[in-house]
Amino acid sequence: MTAPRPRGEHPRKKPSAERAARRLGTLARKWGYLISTTAYLPHTPEEIERELGVLVATVFDAVVSDPPDLDAAATAGGKLVELRCVGTDSLRRSLEVLGKALLREPELHHVEGLAERVVLVLGALSSGYGEMLREDIQKRQEGLSRALLKVEQETRQKQVITRAQFEEVFAGSASGVALTELDGRVLRANAALAKTLNRTPAEIGALSLFDLVHPEDVEQLRDGYRELVAGKLHRLRTGRRLVGKDGEPMWATFAASVIRDAVGAPRQLITIVDDDTEVSLLQRRLSHQALHDVLTGLPNRQFFSTRLETLLRDADQSRGVTLFHLDLDGFSQINGGLGQELGDRVLRGVAAKLKTIFDEEKALVARLGGDEFGVLVQNAAGTPGVLTLVRRVTHELAEPEYVDGQRGVAVSAAIGVVHRPPRDITPVELLRASDLTLRRVQRAGSQWGLFDRELDRRDRHDFGLAAGMAGAWENGDVEVCYRPLVSAAGGAVQGVEARLQWNHPSEGQLAHETCVRLATETGLALPLGTWLLRTAAERLLGSGSELPLTVELTPQQAADPELVGEVRGVLESTGLAPAAIRPGFPAAALLAESGDAADNLKVLAEIGVLAELHGVGDVTCLTEFPARTVRLAPALVARRTHPLVEPSLTALIEAAHRAGAQVGVAGVENAEQADWWRERGADRFSGPAFTELPTL
């Protein structure tokens, strides 16, 4: 800052640069604070203070210059605009802070005409500020005008493109398109819609969209369009029937939207119409196929299950319904012997016969899958009794049907009947009850049977146990236990028999026979039997015992092609002698037609494994399969004192001895029974009467 020469002959001393810098810095800081409250400044406070410090020095230099440097002051005013100090009060605050600072500056008190100089400088600053602000505004307006012009040009171009695209879609669309007023009057219709309706676009243009819709669907479509125009729907999509020029109705899908103006007011409607006649027919056909059996044309299990709930609800409360669940006997033999094509003919014949039998009843006949059929009868006053209907079914099925023109094929069926179940039973429970009844009939070898609540409860209990057996085995709840095989003569332990035991958390200990029965029902018989054999042999080896190990085989295990390999594997892994393991073959399995069990027994004998015969009830198997040990059938043992059984038992034991075999008896409960069997020549006992077991 340069001070003017003061009055008098002697020049005034200049202030030090340090004091001048402090005053300038203080003023710049105050100016920056005041001006920052008037406008948004895109700079940090430090940057503003630095820039304003330069302007303060410029203004002070302009005041003390002789004459005052008004150009520099105008430049400083323009700089304020460049710094974006362009708020409403920015200039006023700047003039106030600068004017007061200049007039109060001690170093300027002796400058001649100070006030006039300050006014001139601040006026020049204001002028520069105004000129720069005007130029800035003009530049911004020019930029805005160019931007608006560009937007307008782009908008027009987009409108042209959009219009062209719309015209292309409108004219070339394979779907029908109609542009209508809000009340439905057609403004334009494309060729696809005209072709669908067998009309010309001009004919459609003279009508309302609702004139093209089936009369029964008009009001529903109007309601949909009203909601669309009112803004309750963003887009309307619905299926309705169109009416062509020939009056033939056709299914179509309507997809409608509102065309709005710039302020959002609805102006027109555009509707896309797709002809769904063929699709609708295809859907109905597919739906029918999904719910009906392709081979017989009967409803399938899904349809049958779905309808059960309605039929149960609608049935006469006093008479209820009756469900017949049929499973054809030996149908696999028909398929295997005659071929699948003739087997299919048999199934179609059974379906036709069932429909005929129940034609006069209010009944639903269905194929539940494979060779199973279901019939639900809604009982009425004239509905025949269950026995009568069962007899009709068995009689009709027994009539031979000449499926190939030469061979007459007749079938029979096991039938489970659920008569008048509770009205509140669910379809799932009803089908489950009929299925359990059918399986019980098949196990008993009967032709038909009625649902029995107590037997059903027992079956469900057993099936529940069977279903949980695999998990129990995996968790270690199924274990191997042993029972001694005792000599009838001296009571010495001659061997041990491996058995299964299930330690059930709620049922307690389930015996070997129960475990085998449940495993057979769930397909675990083979893997569980193999595990029993291997585990028992490894434990026997680990105990150091030299007693032979007996393992009773199930019929499935006895006929298993892998049995010999499994036994060989156990012998190799344990190092036991072949004579140390004695598998017990069921006598009935050895006499089966397949001969698989018999082959296994012979091969095992060749490698030195001494098999036993279990469940022996007559001498037949002794003539075919010589064995060192036989075990009498449990049914004979249970009826030992019967007048007709006792003599045959004695003769059977004598015949076994003549064949060179010892006779074992299982299930001996006490000493009295042991004496009874000993008197008749039995050689080996096992059962509750003999519990002392060597350590294994």
Side-chain angles (χ1 to χ4, degrees), residues 337-416:
L338 301 181
Q340 184 173 349
E341 182 179 352
L342 294 183
D344 290 346
R345 293 185 187 181
V346 171
L347 290 176
R348 286 194 291 267
V350 170
K353 289 178 178 180
L354 290 176
K355 291 174 68 176
T356 301
I357 294 168
F358 294 95
D359 184 53
E360 297 182 359
E361 310 300 328
K362 193 175 182 181
L364 175 64
V365 182
R367 184 185 178 193
L368 302 182
D371 56 352
E372 291 188 32
F373 294 84
V375 182
L376 185 79
V377 179
Q378 290 181 290
N379 298 319
T383 301
V386 171
L387 181 58
T388 301
L389 290 173
V390 168
R391 285 176 175 172
R392 287 182 184 177
V393 171
T394 56
H395 175 73
E396 287 293 329
L397 295 183
E399 287 292 325
E401 182 175 353
Y402 291 86
V403 293
D404 59 354
Q406 297 177 351
R407 286 169 290 188
V409 179
V411 295
S412 60
I415 308 173

Side-chain angles (χ1 to χ4, degrees), residues 462-513:
D462 288 352
F463 289 161
L465 285 176
M469 190 173 191
W473 178 26
E474 184 178 356
N475 294 332
D477 295 334
V478 178
E479 61 182 13
V480 178
C481 62
Y482 303 87
R483 68 179 180 184
L485 304 176
V486 179
S487 169
V493 177
Q494 294 181 327
V496 293
E497 181 177 1
R499 296 169 65 78
L500 294 170
Q501 178 177 288
W502 183 357
N503 300 313
H504 197 280
S506 59
E507 300 290 332
Q509 291 184 345
L510 301 181
H512 176 80
E513 291 75 15

Side-chain angles (χ1 to χ4, degrees), residues 94-115:
S94 298
L95 296 178
E96 287 179 356
V97 68
L98 290 175
K100 291 178 180 179
L102 291 170
L103 294 175
R104 293 174 182 175
E105 171 58 40
E107 299 297 329
L108 300 180
H109 285 172
H110 301 288
V111 175
E112 293 181 1
L114 178 61

Side-chain angles (χ1 to χ4, degrees), residues 29 59 84 89 126 153 172 214 351 680-681:
R29 194 177 303 113
V59 171
R84 306 313 301 162
D89 293 333
S126 299
Q153 291 173 343
H214 194 281
R680 282 151 184 80

Side-chain angles (χ1 to χ4, degrees), residues 612-630:
E612 300 181 358
L613 302 186
H614 290 181
V616 175
D618 56 45
V619 298
T620 304
C621 60
L622 295 175
T623 63
E624 297 288 336
F625 311 101
R628 294 182 58 179
T629 304
V630 299

